[in-house]
Structures are given as C-alpha cells and as structure tokens.
C-alpha cells in the first residue's frame, strides 16, 4: 500500500468572534502558511478537499466562497464534505492511496459566531423525532454525562479535572482560545457545567498530505498515516449505550491502533464527559494507556471551531511527530450527537 | 479601520417531509394518544419505532402498542429553555424507556427542579391539548407513581382513520451576518455612491464586488480601485416572472455589467429603456434613489455602444 503522510499543518488563532473577517479572509493566511511550509503553490497540489457546513454560515453553498482562497482558476480537482475536515482528509487520503494524486490540500473552517451554535447543531438531528424538540448539543452531551455518572464510570470531580488538565495544556498552544484556569462555572445543562463545555469558536485549519518520497522531499520528518478508519452508530441516542463508543473502538482497531502503544492521543472530545467515553473505548488511562499524553494541545475544550476541530486533532498529532515529540500518535475526530460517528488515524514518525 | 458591518439574517423554512408506514403509524398514533413501537427480529421493541433495525438493517414493520408510562434512563437539567424546546420553564431533558419498550425516547420532563429528577424515576406522557401527528403531540413527560402494566406490548395493525402521511417541521435560525473586510469596504464606499473594486497584487485584475481573495491566484486582494460609475452590458436576460415582494413590472432586464476599470462584471437591473431594446455593448450608468444604499438600477448613458472586443473577456 502507498505510504501517505501529513507534511504540513496550520491553523488560525481561534477566537469567540471573527466578525471582522469573512470565511475566506480567515482561511487564507492558514492556506498560505501550509503551502509555504511545503514550498508548494496551490497550482501544484493535485487534489483539494474541504470540510465546512452551510448551517454555520446560514448560506447555501458557503464553501464556494472559501474556494477563492485556493485559487480555483484555472480549474483544480476539488471536493467538499459537509462535515468536519477530518473526513475531508479521509477522502484525500483515499485519493492518494488509489494513485489519483501525489499531494493533497485539506482545509476546514467554521464560524460559530454568526448564529447560535447550540441551535444550529439541532438541525443535524433526525428530523422526525428529535429536531422538532430542538434538543441542543449541550443537552445531548449532558444526557451522556449523566449516564456515565449513574453507571459509576466518572464523577463531576473527574470531569472538572479533565477540563483543568486540557486548559492547562492549552497554555502552551498559541492558537488556543481558552487557556489556563477556567472556573468550573454554573450548570449549563446539569450535570455539565460551563467548564465541561467547549468555547464557542471561530477558526480554520489546513493540512497538506503527500505520498512516499514526495512527502520525504517536502518535509524533514513526515508524519506517516499508518491507518485511518471511521465508523458510525445508530442516530437515535435512545437505542445506544451512551456510556460506550463501539464505533471508536472499531475504527481504532481497523486503523491498527491496538497493534502497539502510542505515546500521544489527540481526542476530539468537545465535552469533558466524552473524553471519559473515548478513553474507555481506546483503553487509555488504564494500565495500557498510562504513559499516553492525552490532548497536549488542549483539545476541543480549549478551542472548538466546529467542522475544523477534528482536522486539528490530526494536525496537532502530526505536528507533534514532526517536531520529534512523538513517535506514534492517535488522532480522533467525532461528528453527530453523543459521539455518534468517529474517525481514528494512527500516525508515526519515520523509524530512526 | 471602519467599524465591522453586521446585519440580521434569518433563515426560515417549513420543511415538509413524507412519512413511511412505520413513522406514519407512530405519529398518527400519538395524535390518538396511542404509543406504537416496532418489534425487531430478536424480539426487542424500539420506541420510537424505526423502519430498519439499527443493528441488522432488516426492514421492520411489526407494530406493537406500548404503555404511556415509563422509566427515566438518563436526564439532564435544562435551566434556560431555548426557543422551540418543549417547555418554556426550566425542565429536564430525559430519555424514557416506555413500559414494554427496549429503547428510549427523548423528550422533556416537567419537574420543579433538578432535585425532583433521578434516573429510574417513573414518568408518564402528558399529551398536548391539540395534536396533529407529530412528536410534539407529547407535550412532555410528568412524574407518575403508576406501576408498569402487568401485560406487555400488544400487537397493533397501525391502522387509523385519516392517517398522517407527512409532517411540516418549521425551522428558523437567526444569524448576525458580517460580510468581512473586503465586502465591508465595498458596502461603505457605496454609502458615498462610489463603487470600489479591489486589485489582485499578483494578476492585477480588479474584482467588483471584492470578496477579499483573487479566485485565480488565491491571494488577498489588497488595493482599492474606484470603478465606474459607467459600464457596459456584457450579457443579459429578460425576466418574465414577478418575484414575491419585488415591486418591479415584468418583463424587465437583468444584466451583467462590466463597470469601467473592473475585470469582473457585476449584475443589476437595467431600466430607462424598453426591455426589448437592451443589447450587449449597451453603455449604462447607475441610478440612485433617495436614501438608497446601492444603485436601484442602471440606465443607458446615450453613448455609442462599446466594441465587442472591449468587453469580450468579461462575458
């Protein structure tokens, strides 16, 4: 099978409100950043794929506006997923694996500030039984958190600890939005308090992928994608065991994660309680995962640009490998209510 | 740097959806205060019912009636209800496994406070006074001391008089639209009745209206260039359908207009000339109305038509 690596990763500084810039204005510096790191021009990229959502912008085909930022004339080979950019990366990875491309540019962006993201995300729910009730994203996560607490799998103290650890880690991340001590706050949807929930963020990210020797030529230390898989569970939260994430476990297994230990895990857990579910699914935090550094970037609790936060997990894991701080890392992205859909990538540095 | 421009933007749509035999029977049943589930091959009863088994993907159609009482399997206290949610006073979101069901239904529970809610508590459906065949026919759940019925779910043929075959689900989202730097500069110049494009530093093309990026080069447009006010019709169409809320007599002409100095044509209505006399190459100028924030339309200047070669690259 062809080797594919992340050769560059860039992101914006994530902020609560980016009203002064349009989507493409926010995205363009990030695109220029990753291209500059590889020395490639937009025209030299074989395939471009992006992730975003019209409902965040409130406009149909909003991604076409952002396309101006990659220079889509003369015509380029381009695709878009109406979901997190991690799934755009999956599409680009397949494109390279099949020999259709040698290099790929993947980008994702989301501005939550124009609307009410808790309301906006209700529109991704089943339109017959769920969406008419407008259950917001925090409420759905809180149902999952309560199920975990009732099952004796966590408590509010551990959740607060996850929040504190994440934001302390984010202090070293210049792109993060919430850094350092954040009060646990009032219950937003009990048992979740404001400190258990992600900030409302605007931001963008981009990744360049390349195959084999091209990757070695473009960067000193490629972050090789050893495996990548994504799995989905039933949409209805009422038919699932909310304390478990079998889709994460299966995706991780198919991505080769369980073959040998990782030293880093970038988990896309916008809510503290979701990290508990993911750690259990991935056997992190038990004896097997005791040495794993979880979310050294601060994770989605420190910055949660919807549609980019999953791609950022892959980018952060890859950047850590590129900096020589990790040999083998897991990156995870999620989509849908209560961790409904999950993607797992396993990345490694070149054997030294 | 001028202040960031913003404007309210409302996206609102009454989504109409058709229902299949399973969902149709369930929602019709709610209208009749009857709760239906569907039986899987392994005997589990799913409420709310689905058309395909989430585990095996087998098509499901065996309906059963379950009780309007059940048990809370998990819950979350909602101190500040949001628009559209089932109750306007603080309430608990709950997943409820109705008696006879093996899966849980999401809804609201009316309770005085979080201390009155716990996993495992018994609840019953409070029906909406007016029911139409929708999930909101369940107004909410309320605490109940009723014991589970002695008998299990009973088969139901799903047949009702006047069955519901579709739902209309209104959706409204409120946004504050912010156009960004380049479009803000464009809109602010328009308030002085000036049309400003922006030039790409790489290919030198002038885009109007500017969106902040050159789609050819993928770089930021950075230099403002005043264009027009006059321009040339590059292509046009005749509109024969009257748009809702638009007070313009049909037929009228909508055209692409290459403003002098611009490398991209913008579009606007042409007035001041019979619709069937508009032509490619026609020279036009903007017409502003009192208090208008953009040109109401463009009208002929009376100049000779432009040579085709002068605008052929902009069509």
């Amino acid at each position: 099978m062809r080797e594919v690596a992340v050769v560059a990763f860039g992101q914006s500084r994530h902020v609560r409100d980016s009203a002064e810039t349009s989507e493409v204005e926010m995205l363009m510096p990030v695109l220029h950043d990753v291209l500059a790191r590889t020395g490639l021009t937009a025209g030299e990229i074989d395939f471009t794929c992006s992730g975003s959502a019209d409902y965040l912008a409130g406009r149909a085909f909003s991604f076409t506006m952002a396309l101006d930022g990659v220079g889509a004339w003369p015509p380029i080979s381009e695709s878009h997923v109406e979901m997190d950019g991690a799934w755009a990366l999956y599409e680009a990875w397949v494109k390279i694996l099949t020999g259709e491309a040698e290099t790929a540019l993947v980008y994702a962006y989301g501005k939550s500030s124009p609307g009410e993201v808790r309301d906006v995300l209700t529109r991704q729910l089943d339109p017959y039984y769920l969406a008419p009730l407008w259950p917001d994203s925090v409420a759905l996560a809180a149902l999952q958190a309560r199920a975990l607490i009732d099952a004796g799998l966590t408590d509010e103290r551990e959740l607060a600890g996850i929040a504190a650890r994440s934001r302390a880690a984010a202090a070293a991340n210049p792109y993060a939005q919430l850094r350092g001590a954040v009060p646990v706050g009032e219950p937003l949807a009990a048992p979740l308090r404001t400190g258990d929930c992600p900030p409302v963020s605007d931001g963008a990210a981009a990744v360049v992928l390349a195959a084999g020797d091209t990757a070695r030529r473009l960067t000193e230390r490629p972050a090789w994608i050893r495996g990548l898989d994504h799995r989905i569970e039933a949409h209805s939260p009422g038919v699932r065991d909310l304390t478990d994430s079998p889709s994460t476990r299966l995706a991780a297994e198919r991505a080769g994660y369980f073959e040998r230990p990782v030293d880093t895990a970038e988990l896309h857990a916008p809510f503290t309680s979701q990290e508990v579910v993911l750690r259990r699914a991935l056997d992190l935090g038990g004896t097997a995962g005791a040495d794993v550094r979880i979310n050294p970037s601060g994770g989605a609790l420190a910055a949660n640009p919807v549609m980019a936060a999953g791609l950022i997990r892959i980018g952060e894991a890859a950047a850590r490998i590129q900096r020589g701080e990790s040999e083998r890392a897991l990156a995870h992205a999620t989509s849908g209510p209560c961790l409904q859909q999950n993607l797992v990538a396993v990345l490694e540095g070149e054997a030294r | 740097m001028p202040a960031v421009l913003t404007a309210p933007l409302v996206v609102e749509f009454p989504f109409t959806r058709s229902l299949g035999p399973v969902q149709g029977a369930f929602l019709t049943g709610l209208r009749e205060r009857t709760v239906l589930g569907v039986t899987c091959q392994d005997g589990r009863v799913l409420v709310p019912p689905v058309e395909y088994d989430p585990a095996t993907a087998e098509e499901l159609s065996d309906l059963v009636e379950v009780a309007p009482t059940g048990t809370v399997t998990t819950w979350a206290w909602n101190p500040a209800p949001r628009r559209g949610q089932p109750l306007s006073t603080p309430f608990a979101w709950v997943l409820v496994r109705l008696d006879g069901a093996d899966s849980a239904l999401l809804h609201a529970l009316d309770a005085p406070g979080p201390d009155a809610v716990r996993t495992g508590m018994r609840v019953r459906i409070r029906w909406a006074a007016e029911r139409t065949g929708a999930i909101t026919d369940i107004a909410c759940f309320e605490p109940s001391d009723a014991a589970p019925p002695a008998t299990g779910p009973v088969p139901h043929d799903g047949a009702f008089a006047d069955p519901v075959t579709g739902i209309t689900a209104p959706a409204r989202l409120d946004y504050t639209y912010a156009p960004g730097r380049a479009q803000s500069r464009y809109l602010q110049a328009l308030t002085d009745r000036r049309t400003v494009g922006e030039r790409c530093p790489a290919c030198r093309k002038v885009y109007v209206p500017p969106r902040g990026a050159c789609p050819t080069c993928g770089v930021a447009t950075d230099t403002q260039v005043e264009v027009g006010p006059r321009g040339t019709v590059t292509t046009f169409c005749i509109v024969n359908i009257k748009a809702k809320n638009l007070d313009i007599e049909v037929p009228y002409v909508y055209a692409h207009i290459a403003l002098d100095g611009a490398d991209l044509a913008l579009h606007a209505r042409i007035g001041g000339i019979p619709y069937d006399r508009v032509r490619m190459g026609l020279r036009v100028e903007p017409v502003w109305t009192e208090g208008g924030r953009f040109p109401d339309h463009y009208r002929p200047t009376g100049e000779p038509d432009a040579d085709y070669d002068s605008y052929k690259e902009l069509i």
Side-chain angles (χ1 to χ4, degrees):
Chain A
M1 200 153 85
R2 262 187 132 191
E3 290 180 302
V4 183
V6 173
V7 296
F9 166 59
Q11 62 184 314
S12 65
R13 283 174 194 273
H14 308 292
V15 296
R16 173 62 185 87
D17 192 342
S18 63
E20 74 279 8
T21 54
S22 66
E23 276 90 346
V24 66
E25 288 168 338
M26 179 176 74
L27 183 62
M28 231 175 342
V30 180
L31 295 170
H32 295 165
D33 177 32
V34 290
L35 291 172
R37 284 167 196 251
T38 59
L40 293 169
T41 63
E44 292 169 313
I45 296 282
D46 293 332
F47 180 60
T48 298
C49 198
S50 60
S52 67
D54 282 352
Y55 272 87
L56 288 171
R59 280 185 300 166
F61 295 98
S62 62
F63 74 94
T64 61
M65 306 287 179
L67 260 186
D68 286 351
V70 294
W73 178 267
I76 61 171
S77 172
E78 184 270 346
S79 184
H80 174 258
V81 298
E82 193 75 8
M83 56 195 307
D84 191 289
W87 278 266
L89 184 139
Y90 183 89
E91 183 173 335
W93 177 70
V94 170
K95 198 89 168 174
I96 295 177
L97 280 185
T98 55
E100 295 284 315
E102 190 75 8
T103 56
L105 172 64
V106 180
Y107 64 88
Y109 61 92
K111 287 176 59 145
S112 294
S113 60
E116 289 286 338
V117 70
R118 287 171 71 179
D119 297 335
V120 167
L121 289 177
T122 65
R123 300 301 95 191
Q124 73 176 342
L125 299 172
D126 153 37
Y128 303 98
Y129 300 158
L130 294 181
L133 305 174
W134 295 80
D136 60 274
S137 47
V138 177
L140 289 164
L143 289 169
Q144 187 169 32
R146 172 69 64 195
L148 284 166
I149 292 170
D150 285 340
L153 298 171
T154 192
D155 53 32
E156 293 191 31
R157 188 189 158 110
E158 184 190 20
L159 298 183
I162 290 169
R165 191 210 70 228
S166 300
R167 275 122 192 190
N173 178 354
Y175 303 98
Q177 181 182 346
L178 285 189
R179 306 158 69 189
V182 172
V184 291
E186 292 301 308
L188 201 55
L192 293 180
R193 297 171 178 272
T194 50
D196 293 306
C197 302
V200 177
S201 310
D202 291 358
V207 162
V208 177
L209 299 180
D213 286 341
T214 304
R216 293 186 183 91
R217 181 168 57 78
L218 293 175
T219 185
E220 205 163 298
R221 186 167 154 85
W224 299 107
I225 300 173
R226 297 302 190 204
L228 188 54
D229 196 277
H230 62 100
R231 300 282 157 164
I232 192 165
E233 295 170 46
H235 183 88
S236 171
V239 301
R240 290 164 48 196
D241 173 2
L242 296 180
T243 66
D244 196 8
S245 184
S247 55
T248 298
R249 192 178 301 113
L250 183 57
E253 185 190 314
R254 298 299 168 94
Y257 160 74
F258 292 108
E259 287 164 16
R260 49 196 195 86
V262 300
D263 54 45
T264 301
E266 278 286 342
L267 305 179
H268 184 192
F271 298 92
T272 53
S273 44
Q274 294 182 338
E275 185 183 303
V276 175
V277 178
L278 294 170
R279 282 203 319 237
R280 281 169 44 77
L282 296 165
D283 194 24
L284 286 168
T287 47
D291 300 329
V292 180
R293 184 85 196 272
I294 296 174
N295 285 351
S297 66
L301 284 163
N304 188 40
V306 176
M307 299 300 146
L311 180 65
I312 291 170
R313 303 284 71 77
I314 300 175
E316 289 281 8
R320 214 166 144 77
I321 286 170
Q322 291 207 280
R323 290 195 300 266
E325 294 164 7
S326 168
E327 295 299 324
R328 180 173 158 94
L330 172 142
H332 158 266
T334 195
S335 182
C338 301
L339 299 171
Q340 185 205 0
Q341 184 166 7
N342 294 284
L343 176 148
V344 171
V346 176
L347 300 121
E348 284 182 0
E350 199 103 55
R352 314 193 253 205
Chain B
M1 185 74 202
V4 172
L5 293 180
T6 61
L9 170 68
V10 177
V11 176
E12 194 168 19
F13 201 80
F15 287 97
T16 55
R17 298 180 180 277
S18 54
L19 301 166
V22 173
Q23 291 177 314
F26 174 69
L27 294 180
T28 307
L30 294 186
R31 191 190 67 198
E32 307 304 325
R33 303 187 190 216
T34 299
V35 187
L36 299 183
V38 72
T39 308
C40 302
Q41 282 208 332
D42 64 3
R44 285 177 309 130
V45 173
L46 302 183
V47 180
V50 290
E51 293 153 330
Y52 296 91
D53 187 318
T56 65
E58 272 161 340
E59 190 167 356
L60 303 177
S61 58
D62 292 337
L63 299 170
V64 291
E65 183 176 350
V66 300
T69 54
T71 304
V72 170
T73 63
T74 186
W75 61 280
W77 186 252
N78 180 15
R82 305 171 75 81
R83 185 175 70 199
Q85 294 181 343
L87 295 168
S88 54
T89 51
F91 66 89
W93 288 106
V94 282
L95 279 171
V96 175
R97 190 171 57 234
L98 291 172
D99 296 325
D102 296 289
S103 67
L105 173 89
L106 179 90
H107 220 293
L109 169 69
D110 189 7
D115 293 342
V117 188
R118 60 180 173 81
T119 297
M121 78 184 284
R122 298 283 299 159
V123 294
R124 67 167 172 244
I125 289 174
R126 179 191 296 166
W127 296 103
E130 303 229 335
R131 296 180 306 282
T132 60
I135 193 67
T136 46
D137 288 354
I138 298 174
C140 62
F141 283 91
E142 59 191 18
S144 160
D145 48 17
T151 53
V154 292
H156 194 288
D157 62 7
F160 294 96
D162 189 22
V164 176
T165 58
I167 57 168
T168 301
R172 174 186 169 130
L173 293 168
D174 285 76
Y175 298 89
T176 301
Y177 179 68
R181 291 183 189 127
Q183 292 187 85
S184 288
R185 290 191 288 258
Y186 171 76
L187 292 169
Q188 267 153 345
L190 279 181
T191 61
D192 301 329
R193 299 196 172 184
R194 294 184 303 121
T195 301
V196 171
E198 292 194 2
R199 190 187 298 281
C200 171
C203 70
R204 311 300 296 164
K205 278 192 175 166
V206 173
Y207 293 96
V208 58
R211 294 208 301 246
C214 172
T216 305
C217 307
V219 298
T221 53
D222 60 351
T223 315
Q224 293 180 65
V225 180
E226 189 160 340
V227 296
R230 293 183 168 189
T232 301
V233 172
T234 63
T235 184
F236 64 94
C237 66
I238 299 164
V239 180
N240 287 291
I241 297 169
K242 204 169 171 64
K244 202 176 167 185
N245 305 326
L246 198 61
D247 190 23
I248 299 170
E249 285 305 312
V250 292
Y252 64 87
V253 170
Y254 211 71
H256 272 189
I257 300 163
L259 293 180
D260 296 344
D263 292 297
L264 189 72
L266 50 69
H267 45 91
R269 184 169 63 89
I270 304 294
I273 179 174
Y275 72 91
D276 55 359
R277 305 230 352 244
V278 175
R279 56 206 178 259
M280 291 169 74
L282 181 71
R283 295 284 295 160
V284 292
E285 63 188 3
V287 177
W288 298 80
T289 51
E290 187 65 32
R293 298 173 65 178
F294 48 86
D296 179 70
H297 64 275
Y298 283 74
R299 69 179 172 211
T301 63
E303 293 168 276
D305 285 4
D307 278 345
Y308 179 67
D309 283 349
S310 70
Y311 63 85
K312 68 179 181 186
E313 299 294 332
L314 299 175
I315 294 175

